[in-house]
Amino acid sequence: MPRPEKDINLGGEGKIRVYYSTTTSSEKIRHNCRFLQSLLERKKVHLREDFEPWIPIDIGMDREERNKIFEKAGVRKTPMLFIDDQYVGDYDDVVELDEIGELDRLLNYCALKYRNLKTIEEARKADEVLRMQQNQDLE
């Protein structure tokens, strides 16, 4: 697998972005998009200020921009999740990260960065609030 190019700036610092294909004929890719959307909605990501609506990678995007995204990710497989302008993975990668708790850590980090929290105490409070919200959603 090609190595992701970390130096390419897609303008997503402090943001959560999902790039997806609207023209795929692959049932697996369409399935992965639906299930990634469901996973992120369960985590209330779509309600966050740092979340940008899903970005179609094929319609209305010029080839140069699309190629920058693929180069940064090191893959061409959609959907692609980026957190803080860093490629996190495709659907399978994100599910794996969620199972070990790493996805929540990345999402919490992005929320802290987006809000420019300055102290460790503020970060802990924000993390606790997010945990409480997630626990309430599970009840």
Side-chain angles (χ1 to χ4, degrees):
M1 177 168 111
R3 237 179 49 171
E5 180 53 61
K6 303 220 184 278
D7 293 335
I8 295 173
N9 183 345
L10 300 176
E13 187 174 357
K15 299 175 186 169
I16 300 166
R17 291 179 168 172
V18 180
Y19 295 96
Y20 72 106
S21 172
T22 61
T23 59
T24 184
S25 62
S26 167
E27 182 57 38
K28 178 171 175 31
I29 291 173
R30 289 193 309 268
H31 169 273
N32 288 351
C33 284
R34 287 189 302 269
F35 280 88
L36 179 58
Q37 182 176 4
S38 177
L39 171 65
L40 295 176
E41 285 177 355
R42 281 194 310 271
K43 294 182 175 297
K44 306 289 187 209
V45 171
H46 64 294
L47 301 175
R48 293 171 46 159
E49 293 178 62
D50 56 346
F51 177 72
E52 294 187 347
W54 285 50
I55 302 166
I57 202 162
D58 43 17
I59 301 292
M61 182 179 286
D62 68 41
R63 177 175 282 140
E64 185 178 320
E65 184 67 19
R66 182 172 46 248
N67 287 339
K68 279 175 50 178
I69 294 164
F70 291 145
E71 187 177 350
K72 181 156 183 98
V75 297
R76 297 180 72 87
K77 187 175 174 184
T78 63
M80 301 175 160
L81 176 64
F82 283 79
I83 296 177
D84 192 31
D85 210 38
Q86 297 303 313
Y87 177 66
V88 173
D90 63 16
Y91 170 73
D92 295 326
D93 298 328
V94 173
V95 167
E96 199 172 300
L97 291 170
D98 187 46
E99 289 172 354
I100 62 172
E102 185 66 11
L103 179 59
D104 288 332
R105 188 191 69 74
L106 292 169
L107 292 169
N108 290 341
Y109 167 78
C110 191
L112 297 176
K113 185 166 185 175
Y114 181 80
R115 294 180 187 130
N116 292 319
L117 296 176
K118 302 296 180 195
T119 66
I120 298 289
E121 188 56 35
E122 286 175 312
R124 286 186 181 140
K125 286 178 185 175
D127 191 49
E128 184 59 31
V129 167
L130 287 172
R131 266 197 300 267
M132 288 172 50
Q133 287 173 342
Q134 288 172 346
N135 289 337
Q136 287 175 348
D137 291 339
L138 293 176
E139 293 175 358

